[in-house]
Amino acid sequence: MLRVDEAQEPVEFSPALISKFDEIVSRYPQGKQKSGLLPILHLVQAEFGWVSAPAMDKVAEYLSILPIEVYEVATFYTMYFLRPQGKYVLEVCRTSGCCLVGAEKIMDHIEETLGVKEGEVTPDGLFSWRGVECLAACGFGPVLQIGPEYTFYENLTNESVDKLISDLKAKAKN
Amino acid sequence: MGRKLLLEHINVPGINTFDVYRSKGGYASVEKALKTMSPEAIVEEVKKSGLRGRGGAGFPTGMKWSFLAKPEGVARYLVCNGDESEPGTFKDRYLMTYIPHLLIEGMIVSSFALGASTSYIYLRGEMMPQVRILERAIAEAKAKGFLGKNILGTGYDLELYVQPGGGAYICGEETALLESLEGKRGNPRIKPPFPAIAGLYGCPTVVNNVESIAAVVPIINEGGDEYAKIGIGRSTGTKLISAGGNLKKPGVYEIELGVPVEEFIYSDEYCGGIANGKRLKAVVAGGSSVPILPANLILKTINNEARLMSYESLSDGGFVSGTMLGSGGFIAYDEDACIVRNTWNFARFYHHESCGQCSPCREGTGWMEKVLHRLEYGHGKMSDMDLLVDVSKKIEGNTICPLGDAAAWPVASAIRHFRDEFEWHVTNASEATSRNYGIAHYADPLKVVETA
Amino acid sequence: MKVTIDGITVDVEPGTSILNAARQIGGDIVPPAMCYYSKLAGSGGKCRTCLVKVTKGSEKDPRPMPKLVASCRTGVMDGMEVQNITSPEVVEARKGVVEMLLINHPLDCPVCDQAGECHLQDLGFEHGAAKTRYEFDRRTFEKIDIGDKIQLHMTRCILCYRCVFTADQITNTRLHGILNRGDHSEISTYISKAVDNDFSGNVIDVCPVGALTDKTFRFKNRVWFTKPVEAHRDCDKCCGKVTLWYKGEDVIRVTGRKDVYGEVEEFICNTCRFDKKKTADWVIEGPRKVSHQSVISANHYEFTPLPVVKTNPVLQAANKDQFERETRL
Ligand SMILES: Cc1cc2nc3c(=O)[nH]c(=O)nc-3n(C[C@H](O)[C@H](O)[C@H](O)COP(=O)(O)O)c2cc1C
Ligand code: SF4
Ligand code: SF4
Ligand code: FES
Ligand code: FES
């Protein structure tokens, strides 16, 4: 059941972030600022790694809409994380086209390599992984993407996944 | 070699930049349309071209445009549908990644034809790289005077924005897309009213697929009549086909509509045959929502004629022995593929993506997934197949939006054509978890039907 | 405009929906409506129980409509011909919809406060099959209190969206909404919050099932043992016209006055609903005729919950596994 009872850290949006919000809202006609909700939630997630309830309240305040309108939207779409995730979330396509070329084996391999189940975070806080639906790259499968830039990795093999994971580990160290 | 209208210059280095694109004749259609044509004339050209929507439904684009209501003093919108989430389809992402200016050029001409002064390109949220690519391309075009105020000195103003979604297949449905663009949950609207009357912000709106809009460029450049000469019958022009699955050369191909399916799969110009020397077992020809066909029925129609890649030929035979061109997501299954597992995979997809507004789809998709799951994992019953067909019938046609139908068809068609494989999963349950059913008779030549 | 429904012709205003035209005729030919609520703008179209077949589009364009349509959201045309209970196709489709509505419903009627005035119960009785074909665990939620006056039993919810429209249109703010999507959708406040403002109690009246119930309903009781009485009072917030539900001498519950379709005539405020439970608070008008066609008034209350077949432990484990995974994500 979706209910947030534990207290969550309050958040502050930096002026730089707010000015990005302002730019987004300027794209819509007067009074239709709610249209900016989805892109703004992406920015919030990019900044904080996930969208917490206090962050959503802040967004509601910024857009002059009700908090529940933000919750409704954030829970509808799959890309918004409602709880903290690893720094890198490996999202592997699990749909038919990719399964024909070995997506399920790649997911098994990732599970084994990272040692955590789908949706869990590695103890070092670096990685999570999950299966997602078709990413519109079926001809180049198996594929995975990593937010917040949503960089794409195509034609995966066990070896390329291993390399990716070790590259990310190295990147996190620096 | 078929003609290429959209992807002709795809391999030119730097074609994603304005200058190279322009040097290859890019933006000519904007000059022609804005300087020498009236909006009505553009709509007329598109009508003449016979272009049909490339997003799945295949509705004639020119006709759709002419339905747009034009009340005085009310803004009109053009929204480009780049949600592309249908399993098997990846042409729009490809087009936007490698030749983004083509879409922008099409958007300018189309917006002008519809009288829109603000247009949005809605992309699925996962396409953040494409959002960046398009935004860069828009900035380039704007710097060169093709967007913004007083375009090319013609007095026409247009602002173009890219909007990311949040991860939901249903936002490809045009009214759900508009809801999402308004910052709401992607619940499809109950029609009427149709978007042409009350769409985005309650204003008249046209929603078109990325490829449909891109196709407007060659139509304006060469004329609707020229465009209509390509293709076959009412399937005019070229179409991007996303070929995936067990093919030797998967990828996006631009075909002239009417290429035989057999040629498309086996010729070296296109997919080059089945990977690893295997045999073809089944094909989903137009994205996951269309009925799946066994190898013999996809290559030949029930009357033993060669099947062609066209709207009409693919749907020859109706739901009994035909399928649909849909969005052009072509998935080929080789002899090792398990149809039961695949059907379960699709059912899981639709269960996951149902918006949950209407009861038959919300509850029925989950039910079908669970039944298919137990069939795949060896706990099925002989009665399950009839149950699935029955549940799919209860969803089909009784829902708000076509996602319900799209969830029902793949299940119903898989059982129709591959029933023995499903039954084998019940009778040989333990064997079925360790090996595949194989190709069986699915590629055998069709029995010639006696025609009276 | 003339429209013919199941052979009966009626004259209606332009812009009337098929459902409302049928209500003007009345009787058996009125399609059941679980989500549409005439007093809530934008409601309807979701539950699909009101599907009908349009056999003739209009005088001008007599073509039939290709699919069944939701009568609550389809406007009539002059000369339209509609089949409801005379069409086997409609009856079959409605049966399918009811089956879908019931597969994840707990069917805990014996312990549900709504029993006796539940539209789903009526519908299940009229259109349901005797035995469920659904062999999986039903979706369940814990029941929660949203404030000290309203209880939410999400497991019973059919996601008709009526309470959401009510909060938007009748109250001055909305704290609850629909979260998640697909069959995980649920009514919730997300962050524990009390839904409590002058008119919030109306969500109880609009809920067609027992998902939103009155926590102040004293001496929990089966509605058919209670005696409804019409009464009014001078209220500065609402019309003050209500139904009092008596048990013996005690007012155990106050609701809006519902018509035969289960819709309240006028919305009432929380003071009238929750705080005025003494006869002395009210001017009694007389007994209410329960005109609502319910299983109870038809003396049919033998609705036993359908058993959920749980025979396969492997599948149960798989269900559980999947559920856990999805809640984790
Ligand atoms: C469930 C569902 C998903 C859809 N997804 C897409 C999509 O991803 N991209 C798209 O262009 N059209 C999609 N469509 C079709 C659109 O509703 C609409 O018909 C299309 O955008 C119209 O554009 P066109 O006429 O250019 O094809 C979808 C339809 C449904 C019912
Ligand atoms: S058919 Fe499915 S996706 Fe479409 S509106 Fe109904 S529940 Fe939503
Ligand atoms: S709680 Fe009741 S009124 Fe609200 S959506 Fe559920 S069934 Fe409808
Ligand atoms: S199936 Fe994996 S990207 Fe489409
Ligand atoms: S009452 Fe018409 S769809 Fe629910």
Side-chain angles (χ1 to χ4, degrees), chain B residues 156-174:
Chain B
Y156 176 60
D157 303 339
L158 176 69
E159 288 299 333
L160 192 54
Y161 298 111
V162 187
Q163 172 94 354
Y169 165 62
I170 189 59
C171 291
E173 198 279 336
E174 54 187 5

PDB file of all heavy atoms in Angstrom, chain B residues 156-174:
ATOM      1  N   TYR B 156       5.043  34.458 -40.555  1.00  0.00           N
ATOM      2  CA  TYR B 156       4.532  33.319 -39.794  1.00  0.00           C
ATOM      3  C   TYR B 156       5.412  33.079 -38.565  1.00  0.00           C
ATOM      4  O   TYR B 156       6.634  33.011 -38.673  1.00  0.00           O
ATOM      5  CB  TYR B 156       4.500  32.069 -40.676  1.00  0.00           C
ATOM      6  CG  TYR B 156       4.072  30.817 -39.938  1.00  0.00           C
ATOM      7  CD1 TYR B 156       2.827  30.743 -39.336  1.00  0.00           C
ATOM      8  CD2 TYR B 156       4.934  29.721 -39.843  1.00  0.00           C
ATOM      9  CE1 TYR B 156       2.445  29.611 -38.639  1.00  0.00           C
ATOM     10  CE2 TYR B 156       4.549  28.582 -39.151  1.00  0.00           C
ATOM     11  CZ  TYR B 156       3.308  28.534 -38.555  1.00  0.00           C
ATOM     12  OH  TYR B 156       2.936  27.411 -37.861  1.00  0.00           O
ATOM     13  N   ASP B 157       4.767  32.978 -37.362  1.00  0.00           N
ATOM     14  CA  ASP B 157       5.508  32.729 -36.122  1.00  0.00           C
ATOM     15  C   ASP B 157       5.254  31.300 -35.649  1.00  0.00           C
ATOM     16  O   ASP B 157       4.115  30.843 -35.656  1.00  0.00           O
ATOM     17  CB  ASP B 157       5.004  33.646 -34.988  1.00  0.00           C
ATOM     18  CG  ASP B 157       5.108  35.110 -35.366  1.00  0.00           C
ATOM     19  OD1 ASP B 157       5.893  35.424 -36.265  1.00  0.00           O
ATOM     20  OD2 ASP B 157       4.375  35.925 -34.751  1.00  0.00           O
ATOM     21  N   LEU B 158       6.309  30.654 -35.194  1.00  0.00           N
ATOM     22  CA  LEU B 158       6.113  29.317 -34.633  1.00  0.00           C
ATOM     23  C   LEU B 158       7.128  29.038 -33.545  1.00  0.00           C
ATOM     24  O   LEU B 158       8.327  29.231 -33.735  1.00  0.00           O
ATOM     25  CB  LEU B 158       6.245  28.245 -35.725  1.00  0.00           C
ATOM     26  CG  LEU B 158       6.156  26.802 -35.219  1.00  0.00           C
ATOM     27  CD1 LEU B 158       4.760  26.461 -34.727  1.00  0.00           C
ATOM     28  CD2 LEU B 158       6.559  25.812 -36.313  1.00  0.00           C
ATOM     29  N   GLU B 159       6.625  28.619 -32.383  1.00  0.00           N
ATOM     30  CA  GLU B 159       7.499  28.126 -31.326  1.00  0.00           C
ATOM     31  C   GLU B 159       7.329  26.615 -31.245  1.00  0.00           C
ATOM     32  O   GLU B 159       6.209  26.098 -31.309  1.00  0.00           O
ATOM     33  CB  GLU B 159       7.127  28.752 -29.977  1.00  0.00           C
ATOM     34  CG  GLU B 159       7.498  30.218 -29.849  1.00  0.00           C
ATOM     35  CD  GLU B 159       9.001  30.485 -29.977  1.00  0.00           C
ATOM     36  OE1 GLU B 159       9.794  29.572 -29.660  1.00  0.00           O
ATOM     37  OE2 GLU B 159       9.371  31.589 -30.411  1.00  0.00           O
ATOM     38  N   LEU B 160       8.443  25.922 -31.097  1.00  0.00           N
ATOM     39  CA  LEU B 160       8.415  24.464 -31.053  1.00  0.00           C
ATOM     40  C   LEU B 160       9.066  24.004 -29.759  1.00  0.00           C
ATOM     41  O   LEU B 160      10.167  24.455 -29.434  1.00  0.00           O
ATOM     42  CB  LEU B 160       9.201  23.953 -32.272  1.00  0.00           C
ATOM     43  CG  LEU B 160       9.116  22.497 -32.661  1.00  0.00           C
ATOM     44  CD1 LEU B 160       7.672  22.063 -32.853  1.00  0.00           C
ATOM     45  CD2 LEU B 160       9.868  22.281 -33.976  1.00  0.00           C
ATOM     46  N   TYR B 161       8.381  23.164 -28.994  1.00  0.00           N
ATOM     47  CA  TYR B 161       8.928  22.692 -27.725  1.00  0.00           C
ATOM     48  C   TYR B 161       8.929  21.167 -27.665  1.00  0.00           C
ATOM     49  O   TYR B 161       8.059  20.516 -28.242  1.00  0.00           O
ATOM     50  CB  TYR B 161       8.094  23.220 -26.546  1.00  0.00           C
ATOM     51  CG  TYR B 161       8.084  24.722 -26.448  1.00  0.00           C
ATOM     52  CD1 TYR B 161       6.918  25.439 -26.709  1.00  0.00           C
ATOM     53  CD2 TYR B 161       9.236  25.425 -26.109  1.00  0.00           C
ATOM     54  CE1 TYR B 161       6.898  26.817 -26.616  1.00  0.00           C
ATOM     55  CE2 TYR B 161       9.224  26.814 -26.024  1.00  0.00           C
ATOM     56  CZ  TYR B 161       8.047  27.506 -26.273  1.00  0.00           C
ATOM     57  OH  TYR B 161       8.041  28.864 -26.189  1.00  0.00           O
ATOM     58  N   VAL B 162       9.896  20.652 -26.940  1.00  0.00           N
ATOM     59  CA  VAL B 162       9.962  19.208 -26.744  1.00  0.00           C
ATOM     60  C   VAL B 162       9.532  18.908 -25.319  1.00  0.00           C
ATOM     61  O   VAL B 162      10.003  19.539 -24.371  1.00  0.00           O
ATOM     62  CB  VAL B 162      11.399  18.683 -26.955  1.00  0.00           C
ATOM     63  CG1 VAL B 162      11.410  17.167 -26.927  1.00  0.00           C
ATOM     64  CG2 VAL B 162      11.964  19.192 -28.256  1.00  0.00           C
ATOM     65  N   GLN B 163       8.617  17.973 -25.174  1.00  0.00           N
ATOM     66  CA  GLN B 163       8.110  17.644 -23.852  1.00  0.00           C
ATOM     67  C   GLN B 163       8.370  16.178 -23.545  1.00  0.00           C
ATOM     68  O   GLN B 163       7.938  15.305 -24.287  1.00  0.00           O
ATOM     69  CB  GLN B 163       6.594  17.908 -23.825  1.00  0.00           C
ATOM     70  CG  GLN B 163       5.898  17.425 -22.582  1.00  0.00           C
ATOM     71  CD  GLN B 163       5.785  18.521 -21.532  1.00  0.00           C
ATOM     72  OE1 GLN B 163       6.342  19.598 -21.724  1.00  0.00           O
ATOM     73  NE2 GLN B 163       5.070  18.253 -20.458  1.00  0.00           N
ATOM     74  N   PRO B 164       9.090  15.875 -22.469  1.00  0.00           N
ATOM     75  CA  PRO B 164       9.272  14.467 -22.126  1.00  0.00           C
ATOM     76  C   PRO B 164       8.096  13.935 -21.321  1.00  0.00           C
ATOM     77  O   PRO B 164       7.503  14.659 -20.524  1.00  0.00           O
ATOM     78  CB  PRO B 164      10.531  14.492 -21.252  1.00  0.00           C
ATOM     79  CG  PRO B 164      10.525  15.837 -20.615  1.00  0.00           C
ATOM     80  CD  PRO B 164       9.824  16.773 -21.551  1.00  0.00           C
ATOM     81  N   GLY B 165       7.777  12.677 -21.517  1.00  0.00           N
ATOM     82  CA  GLY B 165       6.753  12.017 -20.707  1.00  0.00           C
ATOM     83  C   GLY B 165       7.391  11.456 -19.449  1.00  0.00           C
ATOM     84  O   GLY B 165       8.492  11.841 -19.073  1.00  0.00           O
ATOM     85  N   GLY B 166       6.701  10.524 -18.814  1.00  0.00           N
ATOM     86  CA  GLY B 166       7.226  10.014 -17.550  1.00  0.00           C
ATOM     87  C   GLY B 166       7.350   8.506 -17.505  1.00  0.00           C
ATOM     88  O   GLY B 166       7.616   7.938 -16.457  1.00  0.00           O
ATOM     89  N   GLY B 167       7.142   7.851 -18.665  1.00  0.00           N
ATOM     90  CA  GLY B 167       7.220   6.406 -18.666  1.00  0.00           C
ATOM     91  C   GLY B 167       5.837   5.796 -18.572  1.00  0.00           C
ATOM     92  O   GLY B 167       5.380   5.456 -17.483  1.00  0.00           O
ATOM     93  N   ALA B 168       5.149   5.691 -19.698  1.00  0.00           N
ATOM     94  CA  ALA B 168       3.836   5.064 -19.746  1.00  0.00           C
ATOM     95  C   ALA B 168       3.470   4.853 -21.208  1.00  0.00           C
ATOM     96  O   ALA B 168       3.352   5.812 -21.958  1.00  0.00           O
ATOM     97  CB  ALA B 168       2.773   5.934 -19.067  1.00  0.00           C
ATOM     98  N   TYR B 169       3.304   3.593 -21.582  1.00  0.00           N
ATOM     99  CA  TYR B 169       2.929   3.258 -22.966  1.00  0.00           C
ATOM    100  C   TYR B 169       1.614   3.916 -23.347  1.00  0.00           C
ATOM    101  O   TYR B 169       1.442   4.384 -24.468  1.00  0.00           O
ATOM    102  CB  TYR B 169       2.807   1.735 -23.082  1.00  0.00           C
ATOM    103  CG  TYR B 169       2.108   1.218 -24.303  1.00  0.00           C
ATOM    104  CD1 TYR B 169       2.609   1.461 -25.586  1.00  0.00           C
ATOM    105  CD2 TYR B 169       0.952   0.448 -24.201  1.00  0.00           C
ATOM    106  CE1 TYR B 169       1.970   0.955 -26.710  1.00  0.00           C
ATOM    107  CE2 TYR B 169       0.315  -0.054 -25.315  1.00  0.00           C
ATOM    108  CZ  TYR B 169       0.818   0.198 -26.565  1.00  0.00           C
ATOM    109  OH  TYR B 169       0.183  -0.306 -27.664  1.00  0.00           O
ATOM    110  N   ILE B 170       0.709   3.986 -22.385  1.00  0.00           N
ATOM    111  CA  ILE B 170      -0.630   4.473 -22.706  1.00  0.00           C
ATOM    112  C   ILE B 170      -0.591   5.917 -23.199  1.00  0.00           C
ATOM    113  O   ILE B 170      -1.492   6.374 -23.891  1.00  0.00           O
ATOM    114  CB  ILE B 170      -1.575   4.303 -21.493  1.00  0.00           C
ATOM    115  CG1 ILE B 170      -3.026   4.592 -21.862  1.00  0.00           C
ATOM    116  CG2 ILE B 170      -1.162   5.146 -20.311  1.00  0.00           C
ATOM    117  CD1 ILE B 170      -3.580   3.729 -22.947  1.00  0.00           C
ATOM    118  N   CYS B 171       0.456   6.653 -22.854  1.00  0.00           N
ATOM    119  CA  CYS B 171       0.539   8.035 -23.328  1.00  0.00           C
ATOM    120  C   CYS B 171       0.766   8.128 -24.824  1.00  0.00           C
ATOM    121  O   CYS B 171       0.807   9.224 -25.379  1.00  0.00           O
ATOM    122  CB  CYS B 171       1.610   8.801 -22.563  1.00  0.00           C
ATOM    123  SG  CYS B 171       1.126   9.061 -20.865  1.00  0.00           S
ATOM    124  N   GLY B 172       0.911   6.997 -25.503  1.00  0.00           N
ATOM    125  CA  GLY B 172       0.929   7.025 -26.962  1.00  0.00           C
ATOM    126  C   GLY B 172      -0.465   7.194 -27.532  1.00  0.00           C
ATOM    127  O   GLY B 172      -0.642   7.647 -28.650  1.00  0.00           O
ATOM    128  N   GLU B 173      -1.459   6.807 -26.754  1.00  0.00           N
ATOM    129  CA  GLU B 173      -2.839   7.019 -27.199  1.00  0.00           C
ATOM    130  C   GLU B 173      -3.069   8.511 -27.189  1.00  0.00           C
ATOM    131  O   GLU B 173      -2.723   9.186 -26.226  1.00  0.00           O
ATOM    132  CB  GLU B 173      -3.793   6.295 -26.228  1.00  0.00           C
ATOM    133  CG  GLU B 173      -5.173   6.057 -26.781  1.00  0.00           C
ATOM    134  CD  GLU B 173      -6.098   7.268 -26.705  1.00  0.00           C
ATOM    135  OE1 GLU B 173      -5.865   8.145 -25.859  1.00  0.00           O
ATOM    136  OE2 GLU B 173      -7.039   7.347 -27.490  1.00  0.00           O
ATOM    137  N   GLU B 174      -3.653   9.043 -28.269  1.00  0.00           N
ATOM    138  CA  GLU B 174      -3.560  10.491 -28.435  1.00  0.00           C
ATOM    139  C   GLU B 174      -4.216  11.308 -27.323  1.00  0.00           C
ATOM    140  O   GLU B 174      -3.679  12.342 -26.925  1.00  0.00           O
ATOM    141  CB  GLU B 174      -4.060  10.923 -29.817  1.00  0.00           C
ATOM    142  CG  GLU B 174      -5.455  10.450 -30.163  1.00  0.00           C
ATOM    143  CD  GLU B 174      -5.812  10.779 -31.610  1.00  0.00           C
ATOM    144  OE1 GLU B 174      -4.948  11.279 -32.339  1.00  0.00           O
ATOM    145  OE2 GLU B 174      -6.963  10.547 -31.991  1.00  0.00           O
TER     146      GLU B 174
END
